[in-house]
Amino acid sequence: MPESPVDPDFFLHGDGWLQSWQWVAGSTSSVTLQLTSQCGPFHYLTEIDYRLQGASLVARISLTHLGESPCLYGAGFHPFFWRDEQTRIRFLASGVWQEGADHLPINWSSRLAPHLDFRQWARTQGWLNHCYGGWRGQAELDHPARQQRLLVSSECAFLMLYQPDEGSGFVCLEPQSHAANAHHLAGHPGLRLLARGDRMSIGMTLTVASGG
């Protein structure tokens, strides 16, 4: 997406997060919100559903293309998670796109550098802004100080890892349907071509458990 006046140093992550959503339905444990938007050729109707189920938050985004011409679509979640200096994360992926000077991915590597390898428990170090492909659909955060773990699960095959610095107090593990900057990568990895009336959806579940 083009540069955004909302943040001149980065690229616009779609336009849905900049708009007011309409309440559709809700209860003491769920809410459904809806948005109709048009950003250039991307004319769509989308719903997001949040539900509490026991120790889990279950979320699902559904999107329908309304435009006359087909468009390549992707969707993603952008959760922020509390962290301290003891927090560790773990997930499996087949490789990573590392970012360049303009914060866009420059190359794919199936060899993970030590600071980008989370196949075993590891602490996040410094600035991180990388997209992993071949994600196995589960990521764990371990908080020893709280004796608590958080499981992130999704059917998405791509996971974005973001941390501005070690002192930020948070880390993002973001399931998404596609690679970062997929519209400009060969083969448009993960994007779906939707004709008028076509629909796509992705889900994410966050589950809290006692730490081991």
Side-chain angles (χ1 to χ4, degrees), residues 59-79:
R60 180 157 293 275
I61 297 173
S62 301
L63 182 149
T64 303
H65 179 50
L66 303 178
E68 294 293 337
S69 300
C71 283
L72 287 167
Y73 278 92
F77 295 96
H78 299 273

Side-chain angles (χ1 to χ4, degrees), residues 43-45 63-70 73 192 194-200:
H43 185 196
Y44 61 90
L45 168 68
L63 182 149
T64 303
H65 179 50
L66 303 178
E68 294 293 337
S69 300
Y73 278 92
R192 288 189 55 186
L194 301 184
R196 183 180 178 90
D198 286 348
R199 183 175 180 270
M200 66 173 289

Side-chain angles (χ1 to χ4, degrees), residues 62-96:
S62 301
L63 182 149
T64 303
H65 179 50
L66 303 178
E68 294 293 337
S69 300
C71 283
L72 287 167
Y73 278 92
F77 295 96
H78 299 273
F80 288 61
F81 301 107
W82 175 88
R83 64 170 297 279
D84 64 10
E85 66 278 0
Q86 298 181 46
T87 299
R88 307 178 300 168
I89 65 175
R90 179 172 67 176
F91 60 84
L92 296 177
S94 60
V96 64

Side-chain angles (χ1 to χ4, degrees), residues 6-149:
V6 179
D7 190 339
D9 296 324
F10 291 89
F11 286 76
L12 181 62
H13 290 53
D15 71 323
W17 63 284
L18 298 173
Q19 302 191 53
S20 297
W21 292 57
Q22 301 300 312
W23 182 90
V24 175
S27 69
T28 56
S29 60
S30 68
V31 64
T32 302
L33 305 174
Q34 188 178 86
L35 171 70
T36 301
S37 180
Q38 185 165 9
C39 180
F42 299 96
H43 185 196
Y44 61 90
L45 168 68
T46 187
E47 284 190 354
I48 187 164
D49 183 76
Y50 293 108
R51 296 182 180 273
L52 292 174
Q53 297 181 358
S56 297
L57 171 66
V58 181
R60 180 157 293 275
I61 297 173
S62 301
L63 182 149
T64 303
H65 179 50
L66 303 178
E68 294 293 337
S69 300
C71 283
L72 287 167
Y73 278 92
F77 295 96
H78 299 273
F80 288 61
F81 301 107
W82 175 88
R83 64 170 297 279
D84 64 10
E85 66 278 0
Q86 298 181 46
T87 299
R88 307 178 300 168
I89 65 175
R90 179 172 67 176
F91 60 84
L92 296 177
S94 60
V96 64
W97 282 275
Q98 296 192 46
E99 69 163 356
D102 59 359
H103 304 296
L104 293 176
I106 53 174
N107 61 349
W108 164 264
S109 177
S110 58
R111 292 189 176 184
L112 300 176
H115 73 292
L116 298 177
D117 189 351
F118 296 96
R119 290 173 292 184
Q120 303 295 329
W121 286 115
R123 295 180 176 89
T124 52
Q125 303 174 41
W127 168 272
L128 296 168
N129 187 36
H130 305 284
C131 182
Y132 289 81
W135 178 45
R136 302 298 177 84
Q138 290 194 335
E140 297 173 276
L141 294 92
D142 180 46
H143 302 300
R146 295 185 173 186
Q147 297 186 332
Q148 186 180 82
R149 285 187 181 176

